[in-house]
Amino acid sequence: MTKLATIDHLTQTFDGTDVLKGITTNINEGDVIGVLGLNGAGKSTLIETLLGFIPAQQGDIKLFGESPLNMSLESKSKIGYVAQEDELLPNLTGHQYLSLLSGYYADWNKEVCDKLINDWQVDANKRISKLSVGQRQKLSIIASMAYNPQLLVLDEPVASLDPVARREFLQTIAGIACEPTNAVVFSTHIVTDLERVASRLWMIKDGELIFDTYIDELADQVSVIEFDGAISLPKLPGELSRKHPLGNTRICVQGYNQSLAQHIDANASVKHQRIPVSLEDLMLEIHA
Amino acid sequence: MIRFDLVWRSMNNGSTLSMLIALIVIGSGLILISIFTQDHEQTLRVGGTIGALMLATHTIFLPLTAGRVLANPKLQLAPQAQPSIRLCVLALVVLNAIVWPVIGVAVFKLNYPFIVLLTACWLSMITLALIAVAAPKNTFGIVMYFSSVGIIPSLLLPWLLTLPINLLVGLSSLLLVIAIAYCLITDSRYSNANLLRSRQLLNPSSTKNFRWVERLFDYSPSDTFDNDDKRNYAMLSMQNSGPESKLMATMLLGVPAAIVLIHFIVLIFKPEESLNRVPLLAIVPALCGIYGAIIAPLVDNARRMHLRIDGDRNKLFTLIDKLVFTKVVKWLLAAGVMVLTLIALLPNISFTLLDSAKIYATVMFIYIAATYIALYIFSATARGPKRYVVGTLLYIPLMFGVFWLAKIAPQADFIVLASTCAAATFTAIIFRKLARKVFANKALLYVSPKTVHL
């Protein structure tokens, strides 16, 4: 698998707060990476640093083998981006905006544009400033996909879309992901959307990349161990969280295996039960 | 093929429209004045001066919007987009370099003060061009914005001081009218709608209170949003509101503050001038100043920080929302300012009812006190207004420097004047940069976790 991007020990500090803490990961061809985390976790900062909008304070980033702060035109033309904030130009109409962008891309596909405008019912003859938030978001997504970028980065792309548009958008993303040389990175709060299309998960908590795993490996990697009653047990290796709902004990652990099971049985007074976790469960276990 | 026409249009953020509207309104007024007074020469001079000032205002806004287009993330990633935008900025500079002399020859017959003005504007434009070419992408918009807003009015001063004080005050007020018209056209609907959305989405119980305001903004909240959507949307709305609120606050606060200073200094330097019309005219910047000093920071403050506000202070914000977040109030204010200004410009009308100098000084004192008290109060609760305090404070020494320049202008060597103007320009930029360093103001580009707590 070819790496489209590598992030090596990336740290960002703003106003004395560590917004990103030593993140190391990569983006491979064929990845559809869902970036999950609460507000303020560092998702947008990670994406903006990855694309070179904010210089990395520590660590190294390579995007198509180049520094994102000084990318060649060829590399730039391989990247599609939908910003969390509205990056459209409000004085132009939708068609004008797309026409402006089309001048910068050799591979601009007007047919794809027109099809998406039609399918998503975007009124591209209206001035962008007059469009609703959802319409603007759709236009922004269309503008990012019209030149078939190899790496599509979307920062909270579905936040302003209605459920129908959200489903259509996810189908489109799935279509892009079918291309084995492409990759998609999108941040979201909506776990179900991520489960629907993502092949890989980046979970960020307080600036740390606490999970970087393929979704289908998640069930093997993370488990919830449940005990009847409140038990006293020393902190387990790979323990992510511990809770006591309804007087019982739930421990979320990473890397459950035979030796850990034996370790638990040796130390706990009652038998444990291993419960596989869904992505939503994992999100709640860690953040709630 | 790169669409330069669309690049240009994207940079032209409604200022042309507002300028044209203002030109039509003011031009009509001047024609009427000319007909009634039969003083065509004076009317021509006033008209030409207004036209020149409006162009100056236009040149403030175009680099500003150009900076924002250049900082646009989509266009930062688009191949060749940056050079094309920079080319348009340079075209703007060249255009201005041509337009100014034409006005100079046509209206002022290129006399000595106008050469000073022209040189100063050229220097300012060249500086902007250098910034356009050389500045790092993320700082471009910010630097260009503050340098252009702060410097051009300063550079007009040597020439302004040669004008009769009535005309000077009238023109200052007109400049404000244009600035306010611009803000009203481009800012109010957008920013207010954003604030309302954020507020309603996060606190549905407040929706009821704002139903009547919603209708003014053609806004209906989404029923389909879940809590995550709402939080996310609120954050998005606040991020989007940054540049607009900054523009509004600076135009409504910085420009009146500068004009008040002009008035003070002119009074010091030219006490012999008639002050008959000053009281009425003083109301104009005072109204704008009060609006700019109290309301704009509040709006900005509320927009950024309302999530952290509770209790009694929230009631205050709600009250202010109700008072000022209507188109009606803003348009009434703008219309009132426009009418007052036009009346004040009418020759041969004397306002002797008021003790002019005392009232003028009192109004100005109240204005300045209100400005700084409001700013200091709210700088304690928000990051935003702190920046305006710093900006305004930095502006004062610069203004005094330019006034000193104006005072020595008749005796000074032309090269000295030109180089001093250039030095003032760069000094302002450096001061702004220093201020940004000191206050770590990165809020234009992102909302850090420390800034917003949801």
Side-chain angles (χ1 to χ4, degrees):
Chain A
M1 269 190 298
T2 307
K3 285 185 171 56
L4 302 186
T6 56
I7 301 172
D8 189 19
H9 293 96
L10 172 65
T11 297
Q12 291 283 36
T13 305
F14 300 138
D15 298 338
T17 306
D18 285 340
V19 179
L20 296 178
K21 299 170 187 168
I23 290 182
T24 298
T25 185
N26 57 53
I27 301 168
N28 300 313
E29 283 182 347
D31 280 349
V32 179
I33 301 172
V35 187
L36 203 57
L38 299 181
N39 284 317
K43 302 187 296 292
S44 295
T45 307
L46 175 61
I47 285 174
E48 286 173 9
T49 314
L50 171 71
L51 295 176
F53 300 135
I54 309 171
Q57 288 170 352
Q58 286 175 43
D60 186 45
I61 297 178
K62 287 278 184 281
L63 201 51
F64 296 106
E66 300 172 2
S67 162
L69 294 175
N70 196 18
M71 270 190 291
S72 65
L73 300 183
E74 192 193 346
S75 295
K76 279 187 172 183
S77 65
K78 291 178 186 171
I79 299 169
Y81 174 57
V82 177
Q84 186 182 31
E85 70 272 22
D86 195 344
E87 89 282 12
L88 302 168
L89 300 165
N91 301 323
L92 305 182
T93 66
H95 280 308
Q96 285 172 340
Y97 178 66
L98 295 171
S99 180
L100 169 67
L101 287 178
S102 70
Y104 298 124
Y105 292 94
D107 296 329
W108 189 270
N109 191 334
K110 193 170 181 307
E111 284 175 12
V112 168
C113 257
D114 292 342
K115 183 178 180 308
L116 287 173
I117 286 173
N118 194 41
D119 289 353
W120 289 1
Q121 298 177 327
V122 177
D123 188 353
N125 291 315
K126 256 189 183 175
R127 269 173 66 125
I128 288 168
S129 58
K130 304 281 181 195
L131 293 176
S132 69
V133 178
Q135 291 261 309
R136 289 208 296 265
Q137 189 79 337
K138 286 176 185 172
L139 187 64
S140 189
I141 294 167
I142 292 168
S144 298
M145 299 203 300
Y147 48 96
N148 190 26
Q150 194 177 355
L151 174 62
L152 183 59
V153 181
L154 309 110
D155 195 357
E156 308 272 6
V158 294
S160 313
L161 300 185
D162 57 60
V164 175
R166 212 149 84 187
R167 180 62 64 92
E168 286 171 347
F169 164 73
L170 293 173
Q171 283 169 353
T172 312
I173 292 284
I176 293 170
C178 289
E179 292 283 333
T181 56
N182 287 356
V184 180
V185 177
F186 71 104
S187 66
T188 184
H189 296 287
I190 305 165
V191 178
T192 49
D193 287 347
L194 193 144
E195 276 180 321
R196 213 166 272 148
V197 293
S199 62
R200 187 173 161 191
L201 167 71
W202 287 353
M203 188 180 281
I204 300 179
K205 186 183 179 189
D206 298 333
E208 282 186 79
L209 185 60
I210 56 170
F211 275 110
D212 179 4
T213 182
Y214 285 92
I215 301 279
D216 49 11
E217 295 170 5
L218 187 67
D220 296 332
Q221 288 195 5
V222 185
S223 307
V224 167
I225 301 161
E226 200 167 71
F227 300 89
D228 286 335
I231 61 148
S232 166
L233 191 67
K235 187 170 182 182
L236 300 174
E239 181 173 323
L240 297 169
S241 67
R242 183 177 296 209
K243 288 171 189 161
H244 299 282
L246 303 171
N248 295 328
T249 303
R250 281 170 69 91
I251 303 174
C252 185
V253 292
Q254 188 174 14
Y256 182 90
N257 53 28
Q258 194 61 36
S259 68
L260 181 64
Q262 287 169 355
H263 172 78
I264 295 167
D265 287 338
N267 288 282
S269 53
V270 291
K271 276 277 181 192
H272 74 275
Q273 185 186 359
R274 182 194 175 198
I275 304 167
V277 290
S278 67
L279 195 52
E280 190 157 3
D281 293 336
L282 177 63
M283 184 80 173
L284 290 171
E285 289 293 338
I286 289 175
H287 292 291
Chain B
M1 192 179 70
I2 294 174
R3 294 283 306 270
F4 283 98
D5 59 324
L6 294 177
V7 177
W8 184 266
R9 191 177 296 188
S10 64
M11 284 162 46
N12 199 348
N13 192 15
S15 58
T16 303
L17 180 67
S18 52
M19 189 174 84
L20 281 174
I21 292 169
L23 266 177
I24 291 166
V25 173
I26 294 165
S28 310
L30 286 171
I31 290 168
L32 284 174
I33 291 168
S34 177
I35 291 168
F36 283 117
T37 62
Q38 295 295 308
D39 188 355
H40 303 304
E41 194 178 334
Q42 178 69 3
T43 310
L44 180 68
R45 188 176 167 80
V46 171
T49 310
I50 291 167
L53 280 173
M54 292 181 80
L55 272 173
T57 314
H58 194 50
T59 60
I60 291 169
F61 291 121
L62 277 180
L64 162 63
T65 49
R68 286 169 58 187
V69 171
L70 201 60
N72 180 294
K74 195 87 186 166
L75 295 176
Q76 282 185 37
L77 283 173
Q80 297 291 2
Q82 300 292 312
S84 65
I85 299 166
R86 288 174 190 211
L87 199 62
C88 281
V89 175
L90 289 175
L92 160 76
V93 170
V94 171
L95 188 69
N96 277 283
I98 295 169
V99 165
W100 281 95
V102 170
I103 291 174
V105 172
V107 181
F108 303 102
K109 296 172 186 166
L110 215 60
N111 55 17
Y112 177 73
F114 188 77
I115 291 174
V116 176
L117 167 71
L118 192 64
T119 310
C121 286
W122 272 353
L123 282 168
S124 177
M125 282 290 134
I126 289 164
T127 310
L128 295 179
L130 287 173
I131 294 168
V133 174
K137 55 190 174 185
N138 282 347
T139 54
F140 173 83
I142 302 161
V143 173
M144 180 169 269
Y145 168 60
F146 281 108
S147 59
S148 57
V149 168
I151 287 158
I152 292 179
S154 307
L155 294 176
L156 290 170
L157 288 177
W159 169 70
L160 287 174
L161 284 178
T162 66
L163 296 175
I165 191 163
N166 288 349
L167 189 60
L168 178 65
V169 180
L171 290 176
S172 305
S173 305
L174 269 174
L175 190 66
L176 269 179
V177 172
I178 297 161
I180 288 171
Y182 177 87
C183 289
L184 287 171
I185 288 167
T186 60
D187 190 72
S188 60
R189 179 191 159 99
Y190 182 69
S191 57
N192 291 325
N194 264 348
L195 177 59
L196 282 172
R197 280 191 194 112
S198 304
R199 186 189 292 272
Q200 287 166 350
L201 289 172
L202 287 167
N203 184 13
S205 62
S206 73
T207 303
K208 196 178 164 189
N209 300 332
F210 288 96
R211 285 277 180 226
W212 62 279
V213 187
E214 277 170 35
R215 286 197 289 274
L216 291 169
F217 300 119
D218 306 328
Y219 164 66
S220 58
S222 169
D223 295 321
T224 60
F225 278 14
D226 59 22
N227 284 335
D228 281 338
D229 285 338
K230 289 172 186 174
R231 285 196 200 94
N232 182 49
Y233 191 84
M235 196 166 191
L236 191 127
S237 301
M238 282 190 294
Q239 282 179 308
N240 284 346
S241 68
E244 274 69 23
S245 60
K246 206 175 225 339
L247 168 72
M248 188 172 178
T250 306
M251 288 312 299
L252 290 178
L253 179 61
V255 174
I259 288 170
V260 168
L261 281 168
I262 294 172
H263 293 182
F264 265 131
I265 303 295
V266 169
L267 279 177
I268 293 165
F269 282 115
K270 296 198 169 183
E272 73 281 5
E273 291 281 355
S274 162
L275 292 174
N276 281 346
R277 263 171 243 167
V278 167
L280 182 60
L281 286 165
I283 295 168
V284 177
L287 277 176
C288 300
I290 289 163
Y291 184 87
I294 298 170
I295 307 303
L298 272 179
V299 170
D300 189 71
N301 201 10
R303 190 178 298 142
R304 287 170 190 276
M305 294 295 174
H306 67 275
L307 296 173
R308 295 165 66 180
I309 292 164
D310 50 20
D312 291 337
R313 199 176 294 160
N314 200 22
K315 285 179 189 165
L316 172 67
F317 281 112
T318 308
L319 176 69
I320 288 162
D321 283 343
K322 287 183 177 175
L323 282 175
V324 300
F325 280 6
T326 65
K327 283 178 184 171
V328 178
V329 170
K330 288 185 173 180
W331 281 112
L332 277 177
L333 181 71
V337 168
M338 183 80 82
V339 169
L340 280 173
T341 307
L342 284 175
I343 290 171
L345 277 174
L346 283 169
N348 305 321
I349 294 178
S350 178
F351 298 91
T352 53
L353 291 174
L354 305 169
D355 187 349
S356 56
K358 281 181 190 170
I359 289 183
Y360 181 69
T362 309
V363 171
M364 289 302 110
F365 175 79
I366 292 168
Y367 163 63
I368 288 180
T371 302
Y372 284 97
I373 289 169
L375 283 173
Y376 280 117
I377 288 172
F378 291 106
S379 68
T381 57
R383 288 155 55 99
K386 266 186 192 170
R387 295 196 295 276
Y388 309 137
V389 175
V390 174
T392 312
L393 290 176
L394 289 175
Y395 202 71
I396 292 169
L398 179 69
M399 295 292 288
F400 276 102
V402 177
F403 277 118
W404 169 81
L405 178 69
K407 197 160 182 287
I408 65 161
Q411 296 85 35
D413 184 65
F414 181 74
I415 300 296
V416 173
L417 284 177
S419 55
T420 313
C421 284
T425 304
F426 285 109
T427 308
I429 293 168
I430 290 164
F431 267 118
R432 281 304 315 174
K433 274 182 165 279
L434 281 174
R436 284 189 65 226
K437 288 258 184 226
V438 170
F439 285 90
N441 168 23
K442 302 183 183 81
L444 257 186
L445 300 175
Y446 62 86
V447 177
S448 75
K450 205 174 169 185
T451 312
V452 175
H453 298 274
L454 289 166

